[in-house]
């Protein structure tokens, strides 16, 4: 496992820290410093809101060893309300079947656990069905 | 008579947040496995963490809810303190990961606290001091756990997962102002877990009278005396809730009514969330409290000790309450699991 890569990416992985283009206002995730929409430099740091919609999904049943303890799980392509599309696990589905168009919100969860229980626990974003609230 | 702890500068709760995992294991399902369903049950069901949840992830969500209610930038937090007896690492702070996930790094204190079930209120008392001294304006204190009980043990029925977070700040910005706090601590061996042991040991009947009732009762009585108040002066009260019976019994002994403890008595459907237990009762109570209400909280941690503290709710509660999910929103979100699923999820299966 590449500890330095996990460490460098922790802000984007823990809380969706991306970028915003100062020229056209597009949000970038993951951050890549060049706007995919207008081609200009885009280095302004911005934390994305973290709500979105499921665009596509699939269930992973044969997981790599570091992910095996959470298998089977659902991986989805999520269209963020802020604009960018990203790939992430869905979590807290319980008895809810995922569907295209499902409203989801970002949570920070355990992504992987070294299978010998000696290595690092890696945390990062996942998405869950939006929590129903009585107020708000 | 012991003197009340009160800061020079008035402080209070600027924002609060709760978190309870989605999954529930009914006590009758545990009884089906171990006692053929015979015998009394200490609660209805307990909250079980999902496969990707631990004390750190629970702390992060509770703290995000507290920040949303406080309406402050995470960068303004000068302390991120996580109280738990289930920190995922033996060495490596939970608090640095939580602080990073909130955006509170790098200019902040960070530390993990341990005192069985009262680590969260211990962190709160420290936060009262940090803010009350004028050293800082905002501190985050969290209590969260993913408690484990030995399979078949009495504690397996109640050992649950959840947590609560509080941003402590100046009284004038608070939705509940601290009236004072007082702790009662002795060396009492009612419950312990040695290093590298997966499950705790407990002194069976020793856990009730000399531990829970002695410490909560003494802290509460000393607090009432030091503040010259009586149970009737409080709208609500919360006592540590390891099962449904204990908090109701201590409330009655102290002279509090069932109505006073009702909103905060979440244990029947959540279980004992250890460091989150009393303070999850506090978040559930703040969710329904009105300006002017007074709330008494008394935690209990084995080993043993109790922190008593009281708050007076301010007008700010009304505008901040809906800024994050209510404790009951999480309790209503519920998927029942069976014992076999629970055994896999909680790592009780030896695979190699
Ligand atoms: Zn652009």
């Amino acid at each position: 496992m590449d500890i330095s890569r996990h460490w460098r990416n922790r802000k984007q992985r823990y809380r969706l820290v991306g970028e915003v283009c100062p020229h056209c206002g597009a949000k970038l995730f993951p951050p890549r410093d060049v706007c995919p929409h207008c081609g200009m430099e885009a280095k302004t740091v911005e934390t994305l809101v973290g709500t979105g919609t499921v665009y596509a999904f699939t269930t992973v049943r044969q997981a790599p060893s570091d992910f095996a303890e959470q298998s089977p799980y659902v991986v989805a392509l999520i269209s963020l309300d802020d604009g960018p599309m990203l790939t992430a696990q869905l979590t807290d589905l319980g008895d809810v079947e995922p569907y295209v168009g499902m409203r989801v919100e970002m949570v920070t969860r355990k992504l992987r656990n070294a299978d010998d229980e000696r290595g690092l626990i890696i945390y990062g974003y996942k998405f869950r069905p939006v929590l129903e609230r009585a107020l708000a | 008579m012991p003197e009340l702890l009160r800061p020079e500068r008035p402080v209070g709760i600027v924002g609060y947040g709760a978190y309870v995992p989605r999954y529930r294991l009914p006590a009758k399902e545990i009884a089906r496995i171990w006692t053929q369903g015979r015998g009394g049950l200490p609660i209805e069901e307990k909250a079980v963490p999902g496969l990707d949840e631990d004390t750190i992830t629970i702390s992060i969500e509770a703290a995000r809810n507290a920040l949303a209610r406080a309406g402050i930038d995470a960068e303004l937090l000068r302390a991120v303190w996580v109280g738990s007896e289930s920190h995922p690492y033996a060495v490596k702070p939970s608090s640095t990961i939580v602080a990073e996930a909130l955006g509170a790094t790098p200019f902040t204190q960070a530390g993990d606290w341990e005192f069985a079930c009262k680590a969260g209120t211990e962190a709160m008392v420290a936060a009262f001091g940090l803010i009350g001294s004028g050293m800082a304006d905002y501190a985050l204190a969290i209590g969260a756990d993913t408690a484990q009980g030995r399979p078949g043990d009495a504690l397996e029925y109640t050992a649950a997962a959840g947590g609560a977070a509080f941003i402590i700040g100046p009284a004038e910005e608070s939705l509940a102002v601290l009236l004072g706090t007082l702790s009662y601590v002795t060396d009492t061996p009612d419950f312990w877990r040695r290093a590298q042991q997966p499950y705790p040991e407990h002194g069976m009947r020793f856990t009730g009278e000399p531990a829970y009732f002695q410490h909560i009762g003494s802290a509460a009585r000393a607090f009432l005396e030091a503040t010259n108040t009586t149970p009737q002066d409080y709208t609500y009260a919360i006592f540590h809730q390891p099962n449904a019976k204990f908090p109701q019994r201590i409330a009655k002994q102290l002279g509090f009514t069932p109505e006073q403890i009702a909103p905060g008595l979440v244990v029947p459907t959540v279980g004992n969330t250890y460091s989150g237990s009393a303070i999850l009762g506090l978040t559930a109570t703040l969710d329904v409290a009105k300006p002017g209400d007074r709330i008494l909280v008394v935690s209990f941690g084995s080993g043993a000790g109790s922190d008593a503290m009281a708050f007076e709710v301010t007008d700010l509660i009304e505008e901040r309450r809906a800024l994050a999910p209510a404790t009951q929103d999480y309790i209503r979100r519920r998927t029942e699991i069976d014992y076999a699923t629970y055994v896999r999820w909680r790592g009780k299966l030896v695979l190699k």
Side-chain angles (χ1 to χ4, degrees):
Chain A
M1 182 177 55
D2 183 353
I3 292 180
S4 65
R5 184 172 58 83
H6 288 302
W7 179 73
R8 276 195 313 276
N9 293 337
R10 67 195 188 281
K11 289 185 200 305
Q12 66 184 64
R13 243 192 12 248
Y14 288 174
R15 55 188 163 98
L16 293 182
V17 174
E19 289 166 334
V20 60
C21 174
H23 308 286
C24 74
K27 308 277 174 71
L28 282 63
F29 193 87
R32 65 193 72 148
D33 297 350
V34 174
C35 178
H37 298 276
C38 68
M40 305 285 279
E41 186 177 88
K43 288 186 167 175
T44 312
V45 171
E46 175 143 327
T47 302
L48 304 194
V49 172
T51 52
T53 304
V54 172
Y55 183 81
F57 66 90
T58 186
T59 301
V60 175
R61 294 178 199 283
Q62 299 291 326
S65 65
D66 280 6
F67 296 88
E69 75 173 14
Q70 297 181 23
S71 165
Y73 51 82
V74 177
V75 173
L77 206 50
I78 291 154
S79 172
L80 293 176
D81 295 342
D82 272 330
M85 186 88 82
L86 56 71
T87 304
Q89 271 190 44
L90 297 186
T91 188
D92 287 358
L93 287 167
D95 41 18
V96 179
E97 287 293 324
Y99 56 91
V100 171
M102 177 185 237
R103 292 291 296 160
V104 291
E105 61 191 354
M106 188 274 267
V107 289
T108 306
R109 292 293 172 85
K110 279 195 288 186
L111 290 184
R112 55 204 282 188
N113 191 1
D115 62 4
D116 61 1
E117 302 257 315
R118 297 168 76 100
L120 278 183
I121 306 165
I122 305 296
Y123 297 88
Y125 56 79
K126 292 189 180 185
F127 286 76
R128 68 155 179 232
V130 170
L131 182 77
E132 280 181 40
R133 288 159 65 169
L135 290 175
Chain B
M1 183 177 74
E3 212 170 313
L4 204 60
L5 295 179
R6 290 182 73 167
E8 294 270 320
R9 171 204 201 190
V11 302
I13 298 168
V14 175
Y16 68 94
Y19 180 75
V20 178
R22 169 170 205 138
Y23 301 98
R24 300 287 180 278
L25 180 64
K28 65 176 179 344
E29 171 69 1
I30 303 175
R32 178 179 73 86
I33 302 295
W34 293 107
T35 68
Q36 295 174 309
R38 281 197 273 268
L41 300 174
I43 58 170
E44 287 165 46
E45 58 187 13
K46 66 171 183 173
V48 177
L51 279 163
D52 58 4
E53 296 187 281
D54 62 15
T55 288
I56 288 173
T57 67
I58 289 169
S59 297
I60 291 169
E61 182 154 348
R64 282 183 178 146
N65 289 335
L67 277 169
R69 285 203 175 89
I72 63 163
D73 281 337
E75 288 163 4
L76 296 176
L77 296 174
R78 298 308 299 269
V80 175
W81 288 331
V82 182
S84 181
E85 58 153 76
S86 47
H87 293 289
Y89 287 96
V91 177
K92 185 185 183 326
S94 299
S95 52
T96 56
I97 301 170
V98 173
E100 193 85 68
L102 300 174
T105 52
F107 298 108
T108 182
Q109 303 303 118
D112 293 1
W113 297 67
E114 280 190 36
F115 192 147
C117 297
K118 88 167 186 79
T121 51
E122 187 77 33
M124 288 173 78
V125 173
F128 299 152
L130 189 75
I131 309 307
S133 70
M135 280 176 70
D137 282 336
Y138 304 103
L140 172 62
I142 302 170
D145 260 303
T146 55
Q148 289 265 34
R150 187 187 307 281
D153 187 89
L155 289 178
E156 190 179 34
Y157 290 86
T158 52
F166 299 87
I167 293 169
I168 307 304
E172 59 273 20
E173 297 175 36
S174 294
L175 54 81
V177 171
L178 178 76
L179 300 174
T181 178
L182 190 66
S183 296
Y184 182 93
V185 169
T186 70
D187 172 12
T188 301
D190 57 319
F191 170 98
W192 62 92
R193 177 167 64 83
R194 297 284 298 268
Q196 294 174 355
Q197 294 298 313
Y199 303 120
E201 308 293 328
H202 52 88
M204 293 303 287
R205 299 198 172 279
F206 203 52
T207 60
E209 288 305 330
Y212 181 93
F213 292 97
Q214 169 68 17
H215 289 78
I216 292 191
S218 301
R221 287 186 189 97
F223 183 89
L224 293 174
E225 196 182 345
T227 49
N228 198 22
T229 56
T230 66
Q232 290 71 42
D233 292 317
Y234 298 89
T235 323
Y236 300 111
I238 300 114
F239 304 101
H240 173 57
Q241 23 197 319
N243 53 45
K245 201 187 295 174
F246 279 20
Q248 296 184 73
R249 179 144 50 123
I250 191 73
K252 192 172 177 192
Q253 285 176 7
L254 289 167
F256 289 88
T257 65
E259 292 73 28
Q260 283 171 296
I261 63 166
L265 194 68
V266 297
V267 65
T269 50
V270 170
N272 179 5
T273 55
Y274 284 54
S275 300
S277 174
I279 54 180
L280 207 51
L282 176 56
T283 62
T285 302
L286 287 169
D287 283 339
V288 299
K290 296 191 170 50
D293 285 353
R294 286 182 168 205
I295 304 172
L296 175 70
V297 185
V298 190
S299 64
F300 171 74
S302 290
S306 284
D307 301 321
M309 55 183 75
F311 301 93
E312 183 166 324
V313 178
T314 75
D315 293 340
L316 291 171
I317 190 78
E318 306 284 11
E319 65 192 61
R320 295 197 189 154
R321 194 182 340 247
L323 298 176
T327 311
Q328 290 296 338
D329 291 334
Y330 286 107
I331 295 174
R332 262 195 309 276
R333 181 188 68 150
R334 172 190 179 280
T335 300
E336 196 173 310
I337 60 172
D338 61 14
Y339 195 83
T341 304
Y342 168 73
V343 163
R344 182 196 158 186
W345 285 8
R346 298 305 285 136
K348 294 175 199 284
L349 283 177
V350 178
L351 297 175
K352 54 187 174 265

